[in-house]
Amino acid sequence: MTNFPPDLIQLLTKATHVVALTGAGVSQESGLRTFRDAQSGLWAQYRPEDLATPRAFARDPKLVWNWYAHRRKVAKSSHPNAGHYALVEMERNIPEFTLITQNVDGLHHVAGSKHILELHGNILNVRCSQCGTFADDWHEEAGNVPRCAKCNGLLRPDVVWFEESLPREQLEAAVQAACTCQVFFSIGTSGLVQPAASLAHAARTEGAVVVEVNAEPTPLTPRVDFAFHGKSGEILPELVKAVWG
Ligand code: OAD
């Protein structure tokens, strides 16, 4: 059982505007792999420059498509965990709540969170790499990368790759929320990827109380007001129960 300081409980009871930034750690208990955990992280096994950049896709579209197709299948067959549901409960209790996620698995949607900003896209969506048209349906024949029905361009996952910009509206809304909230949670993220990582610092500079929930300390830990180290699927439900019963 986590011991939550009375100051934090009181703050959350009264809070009217809260932001939570989530990363791959939140979905770890749903069976999805994180990126940077030393043994089990995706980037321990694969090189991002081979699979998650526009150049990688131009060089070997089939390799990249197949890797994301596999991850899409895994994401589709996974289920939200207690951490995702605790964030839904938090949203129900706080007048203004913004969930900013770096995750592309869509599990916050499945859990029932409403106000979500997906900074890195959504692996369940597919769009044309040429004209940008979203595809509802596609055919993977003979292992080829499927093509756009409109312009015949190659289809790609609607995720943000390294060297690409984040969706502008989502990022602007995230910065705005971070800079105006009273409490900012950083949950299940190593805090190593920009610009998402800078949101906690922006929130702190603008006067928010920053709370970290992560399996292990991160570079953000020395700068937060409260840090809880353990599984988000255990700590978040305990916190929600302690605050809103
Ligand atoms: P990382 O893999 O970098 O960090 C995940 C963090 O979650 C680590 O600090 C783990 O210790 C922690 N963690 C693991 N299991 C946990 C659990 N059950 N409960 C709480 N914490 C846990 O993933 P992100 O920070 O999300 O970008 O990575 C950011 C971005 O880098 C990703 O969105 C992805 C990646 O490259 C793109 O693909 C564009």
Side-chain angles (χ1 to χ4, degrees), residues 2-13 15 17-23 26 87 90 94 97-100 178 181-191 196-197 199-205 207-230 232 235-236 238-240 243-244:
T2 314
N3 251 336
F4 300 105
D7 287 5
L8 177 62
I9 306 277
Q10 210 183 9
L11 178 71
L12 285 170
T13 311
H17 187 185
V18 172
V19 168
L21 168 72
T22 63
V26 164
L87 289 167
M90 212 183 261
I94 292 171
F97 183 81
T98 306
L99 180 51
I100 306 170
C181 68
Q182 297 149 341
V183 184
F184 184 99
F185 282 91
S186 178
I187 307 167
T189 175
S190 59
L199 292 170
H201 299 283
R204 187 180 161 80
T205 304
V209 169
V210 178
V211 185
E212 179 175 69
V213 177
N214 205 66
E216 58 189 12
T218 71
L220 179 68
T221 310
R223 316 278 300 270
V224 303
D225 299 279
F226 300 97
F228 303 101
H229 292 136
S232 51
I235 295 172
L236 291 176
E238 286 173 6
L239 178 63
V240 166
V243 180
W244 295 285

Side-chain angles (χ1 to χ4, degrees), residues 2-231:
T2 314
N3 251 336
F4 300 105
D7 287 5
L8 177 62
I9 306 277
Q10 210 183 9
L11 178 71
L12 285 170
T13 311
K14 292 187 186 150
T16 55
H17 187 185
V18 172
V19 168
L21 168 72
T22 63
V26 164
S27 295
Q28 185 268 336
E29 290 155 86
S30 294
L32 295 177
R33 292 171 67 176
T34 61
F35 292 93
R36 293 178 184 77
D37 281 299
Q39 302 300 322
S40 57
L42 285 168
W43 297 152
Q45 187 182 350
Y46 304 102
R47 293 176 353 130
E49 55 272 39
D50 290 341
L51 296 161
T53 69
R55 262 181 291 172
F57 187 64
R59 197 169 48 232
D60 194 343
K62 199 172 148 202
L63 177 81
V64 173
W65 174 270
N66 286 345
W67 191 65
Y68 281 95
H70 170 71
R71 286 183 54 208
R72 184 183 312 118
K73 206 168 136 195
V74 174
K76 260 187 171 171
S77 62
S78 63
H79 303 284
N81 64 59
H84 294 104
Y85 289 117
L87 289 167
V88 177
E89 205 50 41
M90 212 183 261
E91 183 169 30
R92 280 203 196 108
N93 284 285
I94 292 171
E96 196 178 347
F97 183 81
T98 306
L99 180 51
I100 306 170
T101 189
Q102 299 164 89
N103 297 346
V104 298
D105 54 37
L107 287 179
H108 287 302
H109 284 288
V110 179
S113 286
K114 299 271 183 283
H115 189 197
I116 307 172
L117 299 173
E118 288 179 318
L119 289 187
H120 292 170
N122 189 317
I123 202 170
L124 305 182
N125 298 332
V126 164
R127 62 178 158 86
C128 176
S129 60
Q130 298 297 317
C131 72
T133 304
F134 280 84
D136 295 329
D137 201 12
W138 56 88
H139 302 286
E140 289 172 57
E141 284 158 18
N144 289 330
V145 178
R147 288 184 176 271
C148 175
K150 205 166 143 191
C151 77
N152 207 38
L154 293 174
L155 295 182
R156 58 162 284 179
D158 183 35
V159 299
V160 176
W161 283 330
F162 290 98
E163 299 162 17
E164 290 186 321
S165 309
L166 272 63
R168 207 184 65 182
E169 269 180 33
Q170 309 267 320
L171 180 59
E172 281 174 4
V175 171
Q176 167 73 14
C179 290
T180 50
C181 68
Q182 297 149 341
V183 184
F184 184 99
F185 282 91
S186 178
I187 307 167
T189 175
S190 59
L192 293 173
V193 173
Q194 296 294 356
S198 67
L199 292 170
H201 299 283
R204 187 180 161 80
T205 304
E206 295 300 325
V209 169
V210 178
V211 185
E212 179 175 69
V213 177
N214 205 66
E216 58 189 12
T218 71
L220 179 68
T221 310
R223 316 278 300 270
V224 303
D225 299 279
F226 300 97
F228 303 101
H229 292 136
K231 294 184 171 202

